[in-house]
Amino acid sequence: MLEQLLIFTRGGLILWTCKEIGNALKGSPIDALIRSCLLEERSGDVSFNHEAYTLKWTFHNDLGLVFVAVYQRILNLLYVDDLLSMVKESFSEIYDPKRVTYDDFGETFRQLRKEAEARAEELKKTKQIGKPVSSVKKQGQVTKTGLEGGNRKISENGSKKDDGDGNKAKVGGLTNGHSNGNHKMEDDDDSQEGDLANGKENTTDNVGVDLSKLQKLRSKGVRGRGGGVRKADSIGNNKVSKVAAVEPAKKATKKNRVWDDAAPKQAKLDFTDSVGENGDNDHVDIVAADQGESMMDKEEILSSDSESEDDDELQSDEKPEAKKKGWFSSVFQSITGKANLERTDLEPALKALKERLMTKNVAEEIAGKLCESVEASLEGKKLASFTRISSTVQGAMEDALVRILTPRRSIDIMRDVHAAKDQRRPYVVVFVGVNGVGKSTNLAKVAYWLQQHKVSVMMAACDTFRSGAVEQLRTHARRLQIPIFEKGYEKDPAVVAKEAIQEATRNGSDVVLVDTAGRMQDNEPLMRALSKLINLNSPDLVLFVGEALVGNDAVDQLSKFNQKLSDLSTSGNTRLIDGILLTKFDTIDDKVGAALSMVYISGAPVMFVGCGQSYTDLKKLNVKAIVKTLLK
């Protein structure tokens, strides 16, 4: 049964709720719908599931109203969509912006509900009556399956007959060596055994042959050993053709390169910093502190260029029928405004916008959902005067992108670090991600940025899986003059991280940066080890390090990481990804769509952006610049 039906404005004012139902909802599904769906530009979805409830909704965009129906998740109420549509139409007729309560709408709702339930029952009965009768066999025909063929039907004339010796001999189409339909060749061993049992030779009179397949085999030939070609055996004449051994042409071998003896040989190929016998660095003067201020503390200036070119491009992608209206009609419509925007009016501009987002490396699924959400927010809305549909659609999409990319919570790490310091404990950050995205390098960049703010940092080498991972982190620690906690390889990373946090507490370190092994989202053992590390140490921040180069794979990576962390969690408080660090941002030009895809699928904000090879090349995400690039 229906649990609740609410009508409220986009500002959050509840205008009417069904008092007859009166069931107390558990877990605030309406609040979850607003937070997770409506505010996250997922309003184009069909429904939303929260705990034991399913929620469906519709909008009246011109009046700014939202209609939401809530019912039990296990039920399949066919009349909900019809009921919402009728309630929307009836309520919009009596709506007054100055009016706050609508107690008289209860009687109208009861009638609409009965009408919707009656329609659903009639539709259900008509579906049952019109259900086709399956498996109706024609008289005198038998549908045969198995090795004999796919959809071949054998008539009474082509059935099996007794040969007088108690054995069944096939007659009809099979004796002629042809198959009636999609006939498959029988197994050679079975056919030979049947022929020997009947005292007959293996001739073409009692073997079913697919001539079309044999012709293809003869034309292509069957590849033999040693690079030769063996022709298909001739079944019709029971003769085996000779093997034609064709030797492949010899490949031209590359001549050995002769180096000039007079050229000086490279004596040293290792260009890392030289280390003395006592383990000290001989070049301590190239400490990262000399590289200057981190880009995290610099404000990025966004140039304000005209967006008329983008608007013209969207306008040019509209349907040709719209262009045929003429100059006067288009000018008149722009002055007076369109009565209400319909789906057919929005489709051309939304299609062009979706293609544009996909060219900027936004995942196809995400681009489609965003366009559906914008369409749902504009459908039925009155077009303002002196505005075009393309500019209206682009403005709505821009607002949606800004809402998605703007963090919903504070991402001020320095404030959280000082709060943890007041509690006399270190602030723990765990870096996770797939292989080869740059976790260790960007961990060093974050460490350098924290050093610039007079924060003491310790690195924890918990990548005990990849060869050279400990040495790589040790090199960064030596360059930055930061202490590192390591236990070598083949150790439990969860235990190593726990001991590192204990060591940081004793030494008074403010932040512990935990490096983990790269792992694919489908690697069950490594994902289980990562879940154990997070559950055992309860870090303050779980950072997902991802490449800005990925497109559709970003959705798969983040969704499966979160799903695995949720499924493998042993504690009641499930920890998921808290933030995103995007790497290689300097290599993508205007293909910035990975940032949008990752934020949309996970809900986690982009906290850092890696944009270069030095320790200073780490910056914040400029939301306005990303939105402008996506729509450019």
Side-chain angles (χ1 to χ4, degrees):
M1 64 178 289
L2 195 66
E3 295 289 329
Q4 189 60 274
L5 194 141
L6 287 87
I7 304 174
F8 56 91
T9 64
R10 287 186 178 272
L13 177 63
I14 298 178
L15 299 177
W16 182 83
T17 179
C18 185
K19 296 181 180 179
E20 293 184 0
I21 301 175
N23 295 333
L25 300 178
K26 301 178 182 178
S28 303
I30 304 294
D31 295 340
L33 170 69
I34 296 173
R35 285 195 310 268
S36 303
C37 196
L38 302 186
L39 294 180
E40 290 298 317
E41 296 302 325
R42 292 180 172 85
S43 55
D45 296 343
V46 178
S47 61
F48 173 72
N49 294 325
H50 178 71
E51 296 181 355
Y53 300 107
T54 295
L55 293 86
K56 290 191 174 183
W57 63 92
T58 186
F59 301 111
H60 197 298
N61 293 309
D62 195 23
L63 301 178
L65 301 178
V66 184
F67 303 82
V68 180
V70 187
Y71 59 93
Q72 289 288 340
R73 191 172 181 177
I74 60 175
L75 301 178
N76 184 20
L77 301 184
L78 302 176
Y79 63 87
V80 174
D81 293 328
D82 194 16
L83 178 62
L84 283 174
S85 179
M86 291 190 295
V87 169
K88 170 185 171 181
E89 183 178 355
S90 299
F91 191 83
S92 60
E93 294 176 357
I94 64 172
Y95 174 70
D96 184 4
K98 299 179 181 179
R99 188 175 173 184
V100 179
T101 58
Y102 293 85
D103 297 332
D104 55 341
F105 188 69
E107 183 63 30
T108 305
F109 172 74
R110 283 192 292 270
Q111 296 177 0
L112 295 177
R113 184 179 178 182
K114 291 179 181 178
E115 185 178 348
E117 289 177 350
R119 288 183 184 177
E121 289 294 330
E122 291 178 2
L123 183 63
K124 192 175 180 181
K125 290 179 181 178
T126 54
K127 283 185 177 181
Q128 290 178 352
I129 294 174
K131 191 174 181 181
V133 181
S134 59
S135 66
V136 178
K137 297 182 180 180
K138 296 182 180 180
Q139 187 177 2
Q141 291 185 347
V142 179
T143 302
K144 194 161 186 179
T145 59
L147 294 176
E148 289 290 324
N151 299 323
R152 185 169 60 87
K153 295 181 179 179
I154 302 177
S155 60
E156 291 181 353
N157 296 330
S159 60
K160 296 182 180 179
K161 295 182 179 180
D162 200 325
D163 60 356
D165 297 330
N167 298 322
K168 297 287 184 179
K170 296 180 182 178
V171 297
L174 293 181
T175 57
N176 296 328
H178 301 282
S179 59
N180 299 330
N182 299 329
H183 177 59
K184 295 183 179 179
M185 296 177 63
E186 295 180 353
D187 188 74
D188 294 339
D189 296 334
D190 296 336
S191 62
Q192 290 177 3
E193 290 177 4
D195 294 335
L196 291 175
N198 296 330
K200 301 178 182 179
E201 295 180 357
N202 186 12
T203 62
T204 56
D205 294 332
N206 55 4
V207 177
V209 181
D210 193 336
L211 297 180
S212 61
K213 290 185 178 181
L214 288 178
Q215 291 175 357
K216 290 181 181 179
L217 289 174
R218 288 194 184 99
S219 61
K220 293 182 179 180
V222 182
R223 181 69 58 184
R225 295 181 181 177
V229 177
R230 179 174 58 85
K231 295 183 179 179
D233 296 341
S234 175
I235 298 180
N237 300 325
N238 268 341
K239 294 179 180 180
V240 180
S241 62
K242 297 180 180 181
V243 177
V246 180
E247 296 183 358
K250 294 183 178 180
K251 295 182 180 180
T253 58
K254 185 178 179 180
K255 295 182 180 180
N256 295 330
R257 184 170 182 177
V258 180
W259 294 91
D260 189 4
D261 296 336
K265 295 182 179 179
Q266 183 66 38
K268 179 183 178 182
L269 296 177
D270 187 6
F271 294 99
T272 57
D273 298 333
S274 58
V275 181
E277 296 178 356
N278 55 355
D280 297 331
N281 193 347
D282 295 338
H283 300 282
V284 184
D285 56 331
I286 55 171
V287 178
D290 296 337
Q291 297 189 9
E293 185 182 4
S294 174
M295 296 178 66
M296 283 288 295
D297 302 318
K298 297 179 181 179
E299 292 293 334
E300 186 175 355
I301 300 175
L302 180 63
S303 61
S304 57
D305 298 333
S306 175
E307 299 180 0
S308 59
E309 297 179 0
D310 305 332
D311 196 20
D312 293 339
E313 184 179 341
L314 276 179
Q315 184 73 16
S316 64
D317 291 329
E318 293 184 0
K319 289 183 178 180
E321 291 83 355
K323 297 181 180 180
K324 294 180 181 179
K325 292 182 179 180
W327 176 82
F328 181 78
S329 60
S330 60
V331 171
F332 181 77
Q333 181 175 315
S334 65
I335 294 175
T336 59
K338 188 175 175 63
N340 286 305
L341 288 174
E342 299 177 358
R343 183 169 297 182
T344 54
D345 301 326
L346 300 171
E347 281 179 357
L350 287 173
K351 182 181 179 181
L353 202 54
K354 180 182 177 181
E355 293 176 355
R356 181 184 297 181
L357 291 174
M358 290 173 61
T359 59
K360 300 299 174 66
N361 219 16
V362 178
E364 182 180 1
E365 178 186 357
I366 305 301
K369 288 185 176 181
L370 280 171
C371 291
E372 290 174 2
S373 178
V374 170
E375 181 183 3
S377 64
L378 291 178
E379 187 178 359
K381 192 174 183 179
K382 186 176 181 180
L383 184 65
S385 302
F386 299 100
T387 55
R388 293 185 295 183
I389 295 177
S390 57
S391 58
T392 303
V393 170
Q394 180 154 340
M397 179 62 76
E398 183 177 352
D399 295 340
L401 295 179
V402 170
R403 281 195 298 270
I404 293 171
L405 293 173
T406 303
R408 300 194 304 270
R409 59 178 179 82
S410 174
I411 57 173
D412 188 358
I413 293 183
M414 297 308 304
R415 187 192 67 176
D416 298 337
V417 169
H418 290 302
K421 189 176 181 180
D422 294 339
Q423 300 175 7
R424 296 181 179 180
R425 65 174 183 85
Y427 185 82
V428 182
V429 183
V430 175
F431 292 76
V432 303
V434 299
N435 308 76
V437 294
K439 289 184 296 298
S440 303
T441 303
N442 286 274
L443 181 147
K445 292 180 183 180
V446 174
Y448 176 77
W449 172 66
L450 292 172
Q451 271 190 327
Q452 299 297 301
H453 290 270
K454 309 302 179 182
V455 175
S456 59
V457 183
M458 173 186 281
M459 294 182 179
C462 296
D463 185 355
T464 61
F465 182 78
R466 176 173 64 89
S467 300
V470 177
E471 288 79 5
Q472 179 185 5
L473 205 63
R474 189 188 301 157
T475 301
H476 287 303
R478 186 177 71 246
R479 285 177 170 273
L480 296 173
Q481 293 184 344
I482 289 177
I484 180 173
F485 186 89
E486 56 173 288
K487 286 290 185 179
Y489 296 98
E490 297 183 0
K491 301 293 191 300
D492 188 351
V495 177
V496 176
K498 185 175 182 180
E499 294 177 358
I501 296 172
Q502 294 173 352
E503 181 68 18
T505 305
R506 288 191 295 267
N507 296 339
S509 298
D510 299 330
V511 178
V512 179
L513 302 179
V514 181
D515 186 28
T516 62
R519 66 204 75 213
M520 296 304 294
Q521 59 270 22
D522 299 320
N523 194 322
E524 183 77 17
L526 287 180
M527 290 302 299
R528 192 175 296 276
L530 178 63
S531 178
K532 178 183 177 182
L533 185 149
I534 293 175
N535 292 328
L536 182 62
N537 297 284
S538 300
D540 298 279
L541 183 65
V542 180
L543 270 182
F544 179 85
V545 184
E547 283 183 332
L549 305 170
V550 296
N552 291 320
D553 199 33
V555 178
D556 187 60
Q557 288 177 6
L558 263 171
S559 58
K560 287 188 177 179
F561 254 84
N562 270 335
Q563 187 64 42
K564 289 291 183 181
L565 291 177
S566 176
D567 294 342
L568 300 175
S569 177
T570 57
S571 61
N573 186 18
T574 303
R575 286 298 304 274
L576 302 178
I577 298 215
D578 300 317
I580 300 169
L581 194 157
L582 272 178
T583 66
K584 307 175 185 178
F585 213 73
D586 55 321
T587 64
I588 58 173
D589 194 21
D590 62 344
K591 304 294 190 294
V592 296
L596 177 63
S597 299
M598 289 184 177
V599 173
Y600 188 91
I601 200 66
S602 67
V606 176
M607 307 185 72
F608 300 100
V609 174
C611 54
Q613 302 298 322
S614 63
Y615 291 127
T616 59
D617 294 330
L618 189 74
K619 63 181 182 180
K620 299 176 183 178
L621 183 73
N622 192 325
V623 174
K624 292 183 179 180
I626 295 296
V627 172
K628 182 180 179 181
T629 305
L630 286 171
L631 298 178
K632 185 171 64 175

